Amino acid sequence: MVNIFLLLGVLNLTIVLSCDYHSETGYSSKPFPWNKMRLPKHVVPIHYDLLIHPNLTTLTFTGFAKIEITVLQQTSSIILHSKYLYISKATIQGEMGGIHAEQRVMVSEYPSFDQIALLTDEPLQVGNKYYIVIEYSANLSDSFHGFYKSTYRTPEGEVRVLALTQFEPTAARMAFPCFDEPAFKARFSVKIRREPKHHAVSNMPLVKSVNIMKWLIEDEFETSVKMSTYLVAFMVSDFKSVTKMTTRGIKVSVYTVPYKIKQADYALDSAVKLLDFYEGYFRIPYPLPKQDLAAIPDFQSGAMENWGLTTYRESALIYDPEESLASSRLMITMIIAHELAHQWFGNLVTMEWWNDLWLNEGFAKFMEYVSVNITHPDLGVKDYFLDKFFNAMEVDALNSSHPITHAVEDPAQILEMFDDVSYNKGSCILNMLRDYLGSKVFEAGIVKYLQRFSYQNTQSEDLWNSLSEICSDESQAEDGACARSQETISAAHWTKSALLDIKTMMNTWTLQKGFPLVTVTVKDKNIHLQQEHYMKGSQISPPTGYLWHIPLTYITSKSDIVQRVLLKTKTESLVLPEEVEWIKFNVGMNGYYIVHYGDDGWDALIHLLKANHNAISSNDRASLIHSVFQLVSAEKLCITKALDLTLYLSHESEVTPVSQGLSELVPIYKLLEKRDMSDKADQLKGYLVNLFTNIIDKQSWTDEGSMSERKLRSTLLLFACVNKYQPCVIKATEYFMKWKDSDGTLHLPNDIKLAVYAVGAQTDEGWDFLFSKYNLPKFSTEKGEIEVVLSLSHNKEKLQWIMDEALQGDSIKTQDLPHIVAAVGRNSDGYQLAWKFLKEKWPKLVQKFELGSHSIANMITGVTNKYSTKAQLDEVKDFFSSLDKKSSELRSVEQALETIEDNIKWMDKNLGKIQKWLQINSKPRSCANHYS
């Protein structure tokens, strides 16, 4: 084995990949012996020995894989995954013919399934231990998955190359032959060869480094714990790191490009604090000796939970307290919390197959809020959990949505599972379940789940069973959690039998798509409840007949004590102790459902908001805003009723309802803009500016206040300036000119930067100046904000240029292209350019970002989601129907088409009513005073 390692070390990679290279592998011409996408379970891996040698000059690598396997069923073929790997030699070692021998095998390939078959002369016997030995070579991937290259430019202008991995969900097979399914867990021993000027990191700590030659070093890492292939990670770079220890002595390090290492301190401190929290919360020690966090210059997603070596976009990890927006600190903390939660949920306990991806992602998303709320209380994270409900419901309201647990098979289908349903809906139903069970019972249940299934794979029912068992045997629960919860439950209408039937209850949330609409009818002291599947009015499909077990909560005008009832049937009746003026269900929006109160019920709530909006919480106010507009889409309420409710926002001061008000109202004028109805759009903008003038004028142009106050300031000033509210525009212009005159050295308050930059970018000169700062080290933490404002330009040439430049990837990283395309698509001057770009560059986009990926979905929906004409619908249909079957059947394409159809019908029904309402409710001074 040592000799083979030495041979690979000195192999010239350019010769390996040339057509003259002599392969010792025999390739079979026989029919491939397996016809399913999923691997057979005849053979299971136990341990991988991997030696990887990347060449960062030729952008190639060689590999050696020795895989220990156990045979569970006699077979003459071993089926495993391999993609874009050139196999030069393959053998099997083990007991054959009564003696230990090494046998060369024939290799058969089935590229459509990314599979290879190793064909043996005689069957492999059950119970015997064998070793697969494969030598191979490949190019470093030019995409963002597999073993791929990344680059960065030093402050002096030198371009440097690194190589790293991104395997989730199905790309480990691009770096080494493997059983690339989550249930095939094994241990991994990794060796990396590199030049002395680089260093290597992997999941486990470095054991030793050996000089193979003067110009070649081999790093050997500790053998990993048992884990899935998608969690394997390694990186070769010249990064620098900073390090701290956790309370229990876990070494935590943050790696960045050398000149950004001073911006790693916040991430390091947060990671140490969060790792300590999770060890206490889960009551299971973090099982590895170290946890690395690496900020990658080229990275498609936000971050990745590789065990012991989590990887991140730079914007998701580096933070400059002098220059970064307040919202960046919140985002970075939550992303780190997400990835570190995965070290338990996903890594220690892994879903058996990708149909239950939510067990990984829903839990990690949920734990962001649980952890950060405790470790970083100053960030006010609880103010932002509602966004997850609203984002999930936006997708889940579509007929093209899917259940949380959903059958998938091929890589594109698997990638499509990484969506708002798996992440946000998954987190929302967990939050609802915790509210239902009580936090102590819930915590005890998930600890039991993690302890029972450590290093194993699970399905959803394993979680439900663990939670049910906590209260079936109260002696098992710590701190008397169940006993205390029983008192709460008894007083609040649910019973112990309801608690024990968690599986039946939660199956209604995971095995059915969509969410329930609960209609509340109040007559005297009597309440009638009715549930149905929420469907938009344009959906002509028949009722689904779905029923949910809904843990309802409510408060009334006479009592702010939360009352609880479990609705398991289509209808239910309640009797109040006395008549009430108003009733509000789904207290705090802890439940994943929306509520319709009928016209009279809504009138009472609208009156309450106008008279004393602080009588209910800001979350309850935001949920009312959200619900009333969803009911308009479902044709349960008139648009004028929803607009009447928004009038109270002129007195609102909290970020959650203000943000939700903007989220519901701004898209209406975006629809008008994309019908080229600019006059009507301006009228609505004028109303909105007037609506929020009171709170806009109260904003200071500073960085003072809590996180919520600072986010509100940044949001409102950007909104006001983009919509040409003159007091805002004048002040922002003044700031921008002073900043420009200082050549960008003047320090601007971070909370006003977006507004100031947005105004500055409206002139070509200002736009050019902003872009001249974009790649300077001083502005490295502001790139995302600069991209946003550059996409707001009215200059179509500049909008086209920024998309082209991002695709090329030189001055703007290609990782940012999906966001830029979507941003240009939101621009009334750029939406046609964005659509044309998406069509013309489709093959390149799919090659770079992968079919089914969130990046592709974001571009499709981001560009088209405010289309609302028959001509636009036909154009989108025609384009996607002209593509191959896999592309045309993407769920994001279905969602885009369905959304356009909904928009057409919504506009046909509501546009005239909106215009009449605005004539009555808009102040005449709006356009004259606030627009230029």
Side-chain angles (χ1 to χ4, degrees):
M1 186 181 296
V2 174
N3 288 335
I4 293 175
F5 284 175
L6 284 170
L7 175 63
L8 282 174
V10 299
L11 210 53
N12 185 313
L13 289 171
T14 57
I15 296 176
V16 167
L17 297 178
S18 73
C19 59
D20 295 329
Y21 178 71
H22 174 67
S23 169
E24 299 179 51
T25 300
Y27 282 86
S28 172
S29 59
K30 295 178 181 178
F32 197 77
W34 187 249
N35 63 358
K36 294 182 175 66
M37 186 74 72
R38 299 280 298 274
L39 296 180
K41 294 182 171 59
H42 305 158
V43 172
V44 295
I46 305 299
H47 178 263
Y48 291 76
D49 266 307
L50 301 175
L51 172 64
I52 309 292
H53 181 187
N55 185 318
L56 301 190
T57 302
T58 61
L59 304 180
T60 55
F61 68 98
T62 54
F64 172 91
K66 183 175 183 179
I67 310 171
E68 179 185 340
I69 59 171
T70 294
V71 178
L72 302 181
Q73 182 177 328
Q74 182 177 295
T75 182
S76 295
S77 62
I78 301 171
I79 315 297
L80 64 163
H81 288 109
S82 174
K83 185 175 183 180
Y84 305 145
L85 302 180
Y86 178 75
I87 296 173
S88 53
K89 185 178 180 181
T91 61
I92 291 181
Q93 301 172 354
E95 293 292 326
M96 286 170 276
I99 60 171
H100 186 83
E102 182 171 8
Q103 176 189 125
R104 188 157 302 210
V105 295
M106 298 291 287
V107 178
S108 181
E109 295 181 312
Y110 193 45
S112 296
F113 288 180
D114 301 339
Q115 291 175 359
I116 58 172
L118 307 182
L119 309 176
T120 61
D121 292 336
E122 58 182 83
L124 305 181
Q125 300 302 315
V126 174
N128 283 2
K129 187 182 294 184
Y130 298 92
Y131 295 89
I132 302 167
V133 182
I134 299 176
E135 297 172 38
Y136 61 96
S137 57
N139 293 316
L140 288 173
S141 172
D142 196 36
S143 65
F144 297 103
H145 42 276
F147 190 24
Y148 73 96
K149 71 155 188 168
S150 175
T151 62
Y152 72 93
R153 193 179 298 272
T154 68
E156 296 72 34
E158 178 191 354
V159 175
R160 294 185 181 176
V161 179
L162 58 141
L164 72 145
T165 58
Q166 168 57 41
F167 291 160
E168 190 181 32
T170 60
R173 63 195 69 174
M174 295 172 66
F176 55 94
C178 57
F179 299 82
D180 200 11
E181 295 181 4
F184 287 112
K185 289 191 171 186
R187 294 176 180 269
F188 296 82
S189 299
V190 177
K191 294 181 180 180
I192 304 287
R193 290 194 171 171
R194 59 175 175 86
E195 294 179 65
K197 67 179 180 180
H198 295 130
H199 63 256
V201 288
S202 187
N203 304 86
M204 301 299 290
L206 183 68
V207 174
K208 63 180 179 180
S209 298
V210 178
N211 287 309
I212 303 298
M213 294 182 175
K214 185 177 180 181
W215 51 269
L216 189 66
I217 296 173
E218 181 178 286
D219 291 328
E220 180 180 346
F221 300 91
E222 286 183 22
T223 299
S224 76
V225 295
K226 190 178 179 184
M227 64 184 185
S228 303
T229 49
Y230 77 86
L231 295 171
V232 176
F234 37 87
M235 177 175 73
V236 178
S237 72
D238 67 344
F239 282 9
K240 301 294 184 185
S241 65
V242 289
T243 297
K244 277 189 176 181
M245 307 297 281
T246 68
T247 303
R248 204 174 57 81
I250 303 299
K251 181 181 177 182
V252 180
S253 303
V254 177
Y255 288 83
T256 75
V257 300
Y259 72 91
K260 296 181 181 179
I261 194 61
K262 290 183 179 178
Q263 297 167 349
D265 290 341
Y266 179 76
L268 180 62
D269 291 341
S270 297
V272 168
K273 191 178 289 188
L274 285 159
L275 206 56
D276 277 337
F277 168 80
Y278 283 134
E279 285 198 315
Y281 187 89
F282 294 135
R283 303 171 213 168
I284 298 173
Y286 175 72
L288 307 187
K290 61 95 172 176
Q291 172 60 237
D292 296 334
L293 301 85
I296 309 301
D298 299 277
F299 202 78
Q300 183 173 345
S301 59
M304 175 61 203
E305 66 265 23
N306 315 301
W307 216 345
L309 174 54
T310 52
T311 45
Y312 303 76
R313 274 189 178 223
E314 286 186 329
S315 61
L317 204 61
I318 62 172
Y319 177 78
D320 184 340
E322 297 298 317
E323 303 295 340
S324 298
L325 297 182
S327 56
S328 295
R329 186 159 64 96
L330 174 65
M331 177 195 71
I332 288 167
T333 312
M334 293 179 71
I335 291 174
I336 294 171
H338 183 104
E339 303 313 323
L340 295 186
H342 270 311
Q343 308 301 298
W344 285 265
F345 275 101
N347 299 8
L348 184 66
V349 181
T350 312
M351 79 267 136
E352 187 171 300
W353 181 243
W354 301 106
N355 64 308
D356 271 326
L357 174 66
W358 84 278
L359 286 173
N360 286 18
E361 299 301 348
F363 251 110
K365 180 62 68 175
F366 170 72
M367 289 306 301
E368 291 177 23
Y369 293 88
V370 174
S371 61
V372 175
N373 191 45
I374 293 172
T375 61
H376 296 76
D378 59 307
L379 295 182
V381 70
K382 62 183 181 299
D383 291 335
Y384 308 104
F385 193 62
L386 274 198
D387 289 344
K388 306 308 163 193
F389 282 85
F390 301 150
N391 292 341
M393 285 178 166
E394 183 177 356
V395 172
D396 211 19
L398 298 172
N399 199 41
S400 50
S401 184
H402 63 89
I404 285 180
T405 296
H406 180 63
V408 291
E409 192 167 75
D410 67 47
Q413 292 171 342
I414 292 168
L415 275 172
E416 287 191 305
M417 289 294 284
F418 289 78
D419 66 357
D420 280 329
V421 173
S422 295
Y423 282 72
N424 291 331
K425 183 178 180 179
S427 68
C428 291
I429 67 165
L430 289 169
N431 181 71
M432 179 174 66
L433 182 59
R434 183 177 67 155
D435 185 61
Y436 172 68
L437 293 175
S439 59
K440 288 292 184 181
V441 174
F442 180 84
E443 182 180 332
I446 63 173
V447 167
K448 184 167 191 171
Y449 168 78
L450 290 170
Q451 290 173 341
R452 174 180 292 176
F453 296 106
S454 292
Y455 304 104
Q456 297 178 58
N457 297 83
T458 59
Q459 299 176 357
S460 294
E461 65 180 51
D462 295 315
L463 175 62
W464 310 143
N465 290 339
S466 295
L467 285 161
S468 297
E469 289 168 10
I470 291 299
C471 286
S472 65
D473 180 4
E474 291 177 17
S475 64
Q476 299 276 324
E478 297 185 13
D479 305 325
C482 286
R484 287 202 303 277
S485 288
Q486 286 304 312
E487 295 169 13
T488 305
I489 289 160
S490 174
H493 300 156
W494 28 81
T495 63
K496 185 170 179 178
S497 63
L499 259 184
L500 298 181
D501 204 11
I502 291 171
K503 179 180 174 182
T504 300
M505 171 184 169
M506 295 310 294
N507 279 348
T508 70
W509 297 97
T510 59
L511 302 182
Q512 300 177 155
K513 68 181 178 182
F515 54 90
L517 165 63
V518 178
T519 298
V520 177
T521 306
V522 180
K523 187 174 182 181
D524 300 327
K525 293 190 293 184
N526 299 304
I527 301 176
H528 181 263
L529 304 172
Q530 178 175 313
Q531 67 159 297
E532 61 187 289
H533 184 182
Y534 173 87
M535 303 285 280
K536 293 194 174 182
S538 63
Q539 294 173 4
I540 57 174
S541 51
T544 57
Y546 290 169
L547 281 179
W548 285 265
H549 289 192
I550 313 172
L552 299 175
T553 57
Y554 64 91
I555 54 175
T556 71
S557 58
K558 296 298 177 70
S559 175
D560 60 2
I561 297 172
V562 178
Q563 302 298 315
R564 301 174 183 269
V565 59
L566 185 64
L567 178 63
K568 298 196 290 185
T569 54
K570 186 171 179 62
T571 61
E572 180 80 66
S573 294
L574 301 174
V575 179
L576 297 174
E578 55 186 324
E579 291 186 28
V580 298
E581 294 172 17
W582 55 263
I583 189 165
K584 168 68 175 70
F585 273 78
N586 203 357
V587 181
M589 191 76 189
N590 281 316
Y592 189 71
Y593 60 95
I594 62 173
V595 183
H596 181 27
Y597 299 93
D599 281 339
D600 291 344
W602 277 108
D603 286 342
L605 289 166
I606 290 169
H607 175 75
L608 170 69
L609 291 174
K610 288 180 179 178
N612 180 20
H613 63 269
N614 288 315
I616 56 177
S617 71
S618 61
N619 274 12
D620 281 322
R621 302 197 296 271
S623 74
L624 287 176
I625 295 168
H626 174 261
S627 293
V628 77
F629 280 95
Q630 304 319 301
L631 291 167
V632 172
S633 294
E635 299 184 1
K636 301 282 188 180
L637 273 182
C638 181
I639 184 64
T640 56
K641 188 80 72 179
L643 293 172
D644 286 344
L645 184 146
T646 67
L647 288 169
Y648 105 89
L649 285 168
S650 61
H651 303 292
E652 184 58 82
S653 61
E654 297 288 335
V655 64
T656 312
V658 168
S659 296
Q660 193 55 36
L662 290 171
S663 294
E664 300 294 350
L665 294 165
V666 169
I668 300 176
Y669 75 67
K670 290 292 183 184
L671 287 166
L672 292 166
E673 287 178 339
K674 289 179 184 170
R675 282 193 172 194
D676 296 325
M677 304 170 102
S678 57
D679 290 346
K680 292 181 175 62
D682 284 347
Q683 186 184 11
L684 180 54
K685 290 177 188 178
Y687 163 72
L688 294 183
V689 170
N690 275 320
L691 183 65
F692 291 106
T693 294
N694 184 44
I695 189 171
I696 291 169
D697 289 344
K698 289 179 180 176
Q699 300 306 309
S700 66
W701 291 62
T702 68
D703 287 338
E704 297 172 352
S706 66
M707 177 62 69
S708 293
E709 291 167 335
R710 296 182 66 183
K711 282 202 73 176
L712 179 64
R713 176 185 303 127
S714 185
T715 298
L716 284 172
L717 293 182
L718 177 63
F719 165 77
C721 284
V722 166
N723 288 293
K724 302 180 183 177
Y725 176 52
Q726 283 305 290
C728 182
V729 171
I730 291 167
K731 196 154 191 173
T733 302
E734 186 180 317
Y735 270 107
F736 185 80
M737 295 311 296
K738 287 180 180 178
W739 177 71
K740 182 173 174 291
D741 290 343
S742 75
D743 196 28
T745 60
L746 176 71
H747 177 73
L748 295 173
N750 296 328
D751 296 349
I752 73 169
K753 283 180 178 176
L754 268 174
V756 171
Y757 291 170
V759 170
Q762 295 308 295
T763 68
D764 290 352
E765 184 183 3
W767 196 99
D768 291 340
F769 183 77
L770 276 161
F771 188 74
S772 74
K773 302 303 175 189
Y774 176 79
N775 278 313
L776 297 182
K778 175 178 167 56
F779 296 91
S780 61
T781 61
E782 298 179 57
K783 284 189 169 187
E785 289 74 39
I786 294 175
E787 287 170 1
V788 167
V789 300
L790 294 180
S791 302
L792 295 172
S793 173
H794 298 297
N795 185 324
K796 293 185 179 182
E797 289 183 4
K798 290 189 178 299
L799 295 175
Q800 184 65 51
W801 183 87
I802 195 175
M803 291 189 292
D804 291 338
E805 197 67 19
L807 180 60
Q808 186 175 331
D810 291 336
S811 58
I812 301 173
K813 288 287 189 182
T814 304
Q815 65 172 10
D816 298 324
L817 177 62
H819 305 297
I820 290 171
V821 170
V824 173
R826 288 191 293 271
N827 186 331
S828 59
D829 293 296
Y831 72 93
Q832 292 169 327
L833 295 175
W835 171 239
K836 183 181 178 185
F837 182 90
L838 182 66
K839 290 190 294 182
E840 291 180 352
K841 308 299 183 185
W842 179 259
K844 287 185 178 179
L845 296 174
V846 170
Q847 180 183 0
K848 191 71 178 178
F849 294 106
E850 282 194 287
L851 202 64
S853 69
H854 204 242
S855 300
I856 293 291
N858 277 349
M859 285 187 278
I860 293 171
T861 57
V863 170
T864 65
N865 68 358
K866 295 299 176 289
Y867 286 0
S868 65
T869 68
K870 179 69 164 55
Q872 290 166 335
L873 176 64
D874 290 343
E875 190 174 352
V876 176
K877 273 184 179 177
D878 290 345
F879 171 67
F880 285 109
S881 63
S882 72
L883 301 177
D884 62 277
K885 190 170 185 284
K886 278 193 174 182
S887 296
S888 64
E889 292 181 353
L890 287 173
R891 185 181 296 121
S892 54
V893 173
E894 293 179 37
Q895 290 170 343
L897 294 173
E898 187 180 344
T899 298
I900 298 170
E901 290 170 350
D902 289 341
N903 291 344
I904 291 170
K905 293 177 181 178
W906 194 95
M907 290 290 276
D908 289 347
K909 186 174 181 65
N910 296 307
L911 180 55
K913 295 172 184 174
I914 293 171
Q915 289 178 261
K916 288 181 181 177
W917 189 91
L918 285 173
Q919 288 170 0
I920 297 169
N921 292 277
S922 288
K923 297 177 183 177
R925 64 184 179 86
S926 63
C927 293
N929 285 7
H930 297 333
Y931 284 82
S932 59

